PDB file of all heavy atoms in Angstrom:
ATOM      1  N   ARG A  14      -3.121   2.895   5.144  1.00  0.00           N
ATOM      2  CA  ARG A  14      -4.438   2.458   5.637  1.00  0.00           C
ATOM      3  C   ARG A  14      -4.903   3.365   6.771  1.00  0.00           C
ATOM      4  O   ARG A  14      -4.166   4.203   7.276  1.00  0.00           O
ATOM      5  CB  ARG A  14      -4.362   1.012   6.142  1.00  0.00           C
ATOM      6  CG  ARG A  14      -3.367   0.802   7.279  1.00  0.00           C
ATOM      7  CD  ARG A  14      -3.224  -0.655   7.680  1.00  0.00           C
ATOM      8  NE  ARG A  14      -2.151  -0.876   8.648  1.00  0.00           N
ATOM      9  CZ  ARG A  14      -2.274  -0.788   9.962  1.00  0.00           C
ATOM     10  NH1 ARG A  14      -3.459  -0.486  10.492  1.00  0.00           N
ATOM     11  NH2 ARG A  14      -1.249  -0.995  10.765  1.00  0.00           N
ATOM     12  N   ALA A  26      -6.587  17.029  -0.986  1.00  0.00           N
ATOM     13  CA  ALA A  26      -7.790  17.817  -1.306  1.00  0.00           C
ATOM     14  C   ALA A  26      -7.551  19.302  -1.004  1.00  0.00           C
ATOM     15  O   ALA A  26      -8.185  20.177  -1.610  1.00  0.00           O
ATOM     16  CB  ALA A  26      -8.990  17.313  -0.518  1.00  0.00           C
ATOM     17  N   ALA A  33       4.830  10.434   0.897  1.00  0.00           N
ATOM     18  CA  ALA A  33       4.451   9.364   1.825  1.00  0.00           C
ATOM     19  C   ALA A  33       5.485   8.249   1.816  1.00  0.00           C
ATOM     20  O   ALA A  33       5.957   7.826   0.761  1.00  0.00           O
ATOM     21  CB  ALA A  33       3.081   8.793   1.456  1.00  0.00           C
ATOM     22  N   GLU A  45      -0.431   7.700  -5.583  1.00  0.00           N
ATOM     23  CA  GLU A  45       0.124   8.526  -6.661  1.00  0.00           C
ATOM     24  C   GLU A  45      -0.987   9.124  -7.515  1.00  0.00           C
ATOM     25  O   GLU A  45      -0.871  10.254  -8.003  1.00  0.00           O
ATOM     26  CB  GLU A  45       1.078   7.688  -7.518  1.00  0.00           C
ATOM     27  CG  GLU A  45       2.392   7.396  -6.798  1.00  0.00           C
ATOM     28  CD  GLU A  45       3.251   6.354  -7.499  1.00  0.00           C
ATOM     29  OE1 GLU A  45       2.718   5.604  -8.345  1.00  0.00           O
ATOM     30  OE2 GLU A  45       4.452   6.283  -7.186  1.00  0.00           O
ATOM     31  N   VAL A  51       5.370   8.992  -3.610  1.00  0.00           N
ATOM     32  CA  VAL A  51       5.597   7.824  -2.754  1.00  0.00           C
ATOM     33  C   VAL A  51       7.084   7.488  -2.685  1.00  0.00           C
ATOM     34  O   VAL A  51       7.775   7.458  -3.702  1.00  0.00           O
ATOM     35  CB  VAL A  51       4.802   6.603  -3.279  1.00  0.00           C
ATOM     36  CG1 VAL A  51       5.192   5.343  -2.530  1.00  0.00           C
ATOM     37  CG2 VAL A  51       3.297   6.854  -3.150  1.00  0.00           C
ATOM     38  N   ALA A  56       9.708   2.238   8.116  1.00  0.00           N
ATOM     39  CA  ALA A  56      10.034   3.134   9.232  1.00  0.00           C
ATOM     40  C   ALA A  56      10.937   2.465  10.260  1.00  0.00           C
ATOM     41  O   ALA A  56      11.635   3.143  11.017  1.00  0.00           O
ATOM     42  CB  ALA A  56       8.751   3.625   9.901  1.00  0.00           C
ATOM     43  N   ASP A  69      17.218  17.398  -0.409  1.00  0.00           N
ATOM     44  CA  ASP A  69      17.357  18.847  -0.616  1.00  0.00           C
ATOM     45  C   ASP A  69      16.043  19.586  -0.434  1.00  0.00           C
ATOM     46  O   ASP A  69      16.036  20.803  -0.263  1.00  0.00           O
ATOM     47  CB  ASP A  69      17.915  19.128  -2.028  1.00  0.00           C
ATOM     48  CG  ASP A  69      19.348  18.646  -2.180  1.00  0.00           C
ATOM     49  OD1 ASP A  69      20.034  18.541  -1.138  1.00  0.00           O
ATOM     50  OD2 ASP A  69      19.765  18.360  -3.311  1.00  0.00           O
ATOM     51  N   ILE A  79       1.788   5.782  12.215  1.00  0.00           N
ATOM     52  CA  ILE A  79       2.175   4.367  12.226  1.00  0.00           C
ATOM     53  C   ILE A  79       1.961   3.756  13.610  1.00  0.00           C
ATOM     54  O   ILE A  79       2.179   4.396  14.633  1.00  0.00           O
ATOM     55  CB  ILE A  79       3.627   4.141  11.745  1.00  0.00           C
ATOM     56  CG1 ILE A  79       4.642   4.832  12.646  1.00  0.00           C
ATOM     57  CG2 ILE A  79       3.790   4.570  10.296  1.00  0.00           C
ATOM     58  CD1 ILE A  79       6.075   4.479  12.318  1.00  0.00           C
ATOM     59  N   ASN A  96      12.663   6.522  14.827  1.00  0.00           N
ATOM     60  CA  ASN A  96      13.455   6.777  13.624  1.00  0.00           C
ATOM     61  C   ASN A  96      12.966   8.022  12.888  1.00  0.00           C
ATOM     62  O   ASN A  96      13.769   8.832  12.407  1.00  0.00           O
ATOM     63  CB  ASN A  96      13.407   5.564  12.690  1.00  0.00           C
ATOM     64  CG  ASN A  96      14.169   4.365  13.243  1.00  0.00           C
ATOM     65  OD1 ASN A  96      15.009   4.511  14.125  1.00  0.00           O
ATOM     66  ND2 ASN A  96      13.860   3.173  12.742  1.00  0.00           N
ATOM     67  N   ASP A  99      13.909  11.186  15.016  1.00  0.00           N
ATOM     68  CA  ASP A  99      15.346  11.481  14.935  1.00  0.00           C
ATOM     69  C   ASP A  99      15.721  12.080  13.577  1.00  0.00           C
ATOM     70  O   ASP A  99      16.511  13.026  13.503  1.00  0.00           O
ATOM     71  CB  ASP A  99      16.163  10.213  15.198  1.00  0.00           C
ATOM     72  CG  ASP A  99      16.050   9.723  16.635  1.00  0.00           C
ATOM     73  OD1 ASP A  99      15.540  10.483  17.491  1.00  0.00           O
ATOM     74  OD2 ASP A  99      16.456   8.571  16.908  1.00  0.00           O
ATOM     75  N   PHE A 109       6.068  18.350  14.136  1.00  0.00           N
ATOM     76  CA  PHE A 109       5.865  16.900  14.052  1.00  0.00           C
ATOM     77  C   PHE A 109       4.528  16.599  14.713  1.00  0.00           C
ATOM     78  O   PHE A 109       4.333  16.885  15.896  1.00  0.00           O
ATOM     79  CB  PHE A 109       6.992  16.163  14.779  1.00  0.00           C
ATOM     80  CG  PHE A 109       7.077  14.680  14.476  1.00  0.00           C
ATOM     81  CD1 PHE A 109       8.156  14.165  13.782  1.00  0.00           C
ATOM     82  CD2 PHE A 109       6.068  13.801  14.879  1.00  0.00           C
ATOM     83  CE1 PHE A 109       8.247  12.804  13.497  1.00  0.00           C
ATOM     84  CE2 PHE A 109       6.150  12.446  14.592  1.00  0.00           C
ATOM     85  CZ  PHE A 109       7.239  11.942  13.894  1.00  0.00           C
ATOM     86  N   ILE A 110       3.604  16.031  13.934  1.00  0.00           N
ATOM     87  CA  ILE A 110       2.292  15.660  14.463  1.00  0.00           C
ATOM     88  C   ILE A 110       2.246  14.143  14.593  1.00  0.00           C
ATOM     89  O   ILE A 110       2.377  13.424  13.606  1.00  0.00           O
ATOM     90  CB  ILE A 110       1.144  16.147  13.555  1.00  0.00           C
ATOM     91  CG1 ILE A 110       1.171  17.680  13.435  1.00  0.00           C
ATOM     92  CG2 ILE A 110      -0.210  15.696  14.111  1.00  0.00           C
ATOM     93  CD1 ILE A 110       0.134  18.253  12.478  1.00  0.00           C
ATOM     94  N   SER A 163     -14.689   3.542  10.752  1.00  0.00           N
ATOM     95  CA  SER A 163     -14.485   3.822   9.325  1.00  0.00           C
ATOM     96  C   SER A 163     -15.794   4.277   8.696  1.00  0.00           C
ATOM     97  O   SER A 163     -16.418   3.558   7.909  1.00  0.00           O
ATOM     98  CB  SER A 163     -13.949   2.578   8.614  1.00  0.00           C
ATOM     99  OG  SER A 163     -12.673   2.242   9.099  1.00  0.00           O
ATOM    100  N   GLU A 164     -16.222   5.462   9.041  1.00  0.00           N
ATOM    101  CA  GLU A 164     -17.437   6.066   8.493  1.00  0.00           C
ATOM    102  C   GLU A 164     -17.067   7.433   7.926  1.00  0.00           C
ATOM    103  O   GLU A 164     -16.018   7.985   8.249  1.00  0.00           O
ATOM    104  CB  GLU A 164     -18.497   6.237   9.598  1.00  0.00           C
ATOM    105  CG  GLU A 164     -18.921   4.946  10.293  1.00  0.00           C
ATOM    106  CD  GLU A 164     -19.767   4.046   9.403  1.00  0.00           C
ATOM    107  OE1 GLU A 164     -20.356   4.575   8.441  1.00  0.00           O
ATOM    108  OE2 GLU A 164     -19.818   2.835   9.671  1.00  0.00           O
ATOM    109  N   ILE A 179     -13.145  10.018  27.053  1.00  0.00           N
ATOM    110  CA  ILE A 179     -13.086   8.804  26.229  1.00  0.00           C
ATOM    111  C   ILE A 179     -14.331   8.767  25.343  1.00  0.00           C
ATOM    112  O   ILE A 179     -15.394   9.251  25.719  1.00  0.00           O
ATOM    113  CB  ILE A 179     -12.992   7.527  27.118  1.00  0.00           C
ATOM    114  CG1 ILE A 179     -12.822   6.250  26.278  1.00  0.00           C
ATOM    115  CG2 ILE A 179     -14.183   7.409  28.048  1.00  0.00           C
ATOM    116  CD1 ILE A 179     -11.470   6.050  25.718  1.00  0.00           C
ATOM    117  N   ASN A 202       3.218  22.017  20.808  1.00  0.00           N
ATOM    118  CA  ASN A 202       3.635  21.418  22.084  1.00  0.00           C
ATOM    119  C   ASN A 202       2.451  21.096  22.997  1.00  0.00           C
ATOM    120  O   ASN A 202       2.525  21.271  24.221  1.00  0.00           O
ATOM    121  CB  ASN A 202       4.665  22.314  22.786  1.00  0.00           C
ATOM    122  CG  ASN A 202       5.878  22.585  21.908  1.00  0.00           C
ATOM    123  OD1 ASN A 202       6.290  21.720  21.128  1.00  0.00           O
ATOM    124  ND2 ASN A 202       6.439  23.773  21.986  1.00  0.00           N
ATOM    125  N   ILE A 204      -0.665  18.098  23.944  1.00  0.00           N
ATOM    126  CA  ILE A 204      -1.158  16.725  23.862  1.00  0.00           C
ATOM    127  C   ILE A 204      -2.672  16.802  23.969  1.00  0.00           C
ATOM    128  O   ILE A 204      -3.208  17.321  24.962  1.00  0.00           O
ATOM    129  CB  ILE A 204      -0.588  15.850  24.990  1.00  0.00           C
ATOM    130  CG1 ILE A 204       0.944  15.809  24.931  1.00  0.00           C
ATOM    131  CG2 ILE A 204      -1.150  14.432  24.899  1.00  0.00           C
ATOM    132  CD1 ILE A 204       1.596  15.067  26.084  1.00  0.00           C
ATOM    133  N   MET A 212     -20.230  11.136  20.319  1.00  0.00           N
ATOM    134  CA  MET A 212     -19.899   9.732  20.589  1.00  0.00           C
ATOM    135  C   MET A 212     -19.095   9.588  21.881  1.00  0.00           C
ATOM    136  O   MET A 212     -18.323   8.648  22.044  1.00  0.00           O
ATOM    137  CB  MET A 212     -19.089   9.125  19.430  1.00  0.00           C
ATOM    138  CG  MET A 212     -19.779   9.110  18.095  1.00  0.00           C
ATOM    139  SD  MET A 212     -18.743   8.284  16.851  1.00  0.00           S
ATOM    140  CE  MET A 212     -19.413   8.943  15.326  1.00  0.00           C
TER     141      MET A 212
END
Side-chain angles (χ1 to χ4, degrees):
R14 60 185 173 87
E45 287 169 342
V51 171
D69 293 336
I79 62 172
N96 290 341
D99 292 347
F109 194 113
I110 299 176
S163 295
E164 301 289 338
I179 184 76
N202 303 326
I204 301 175
M212 299 183 201

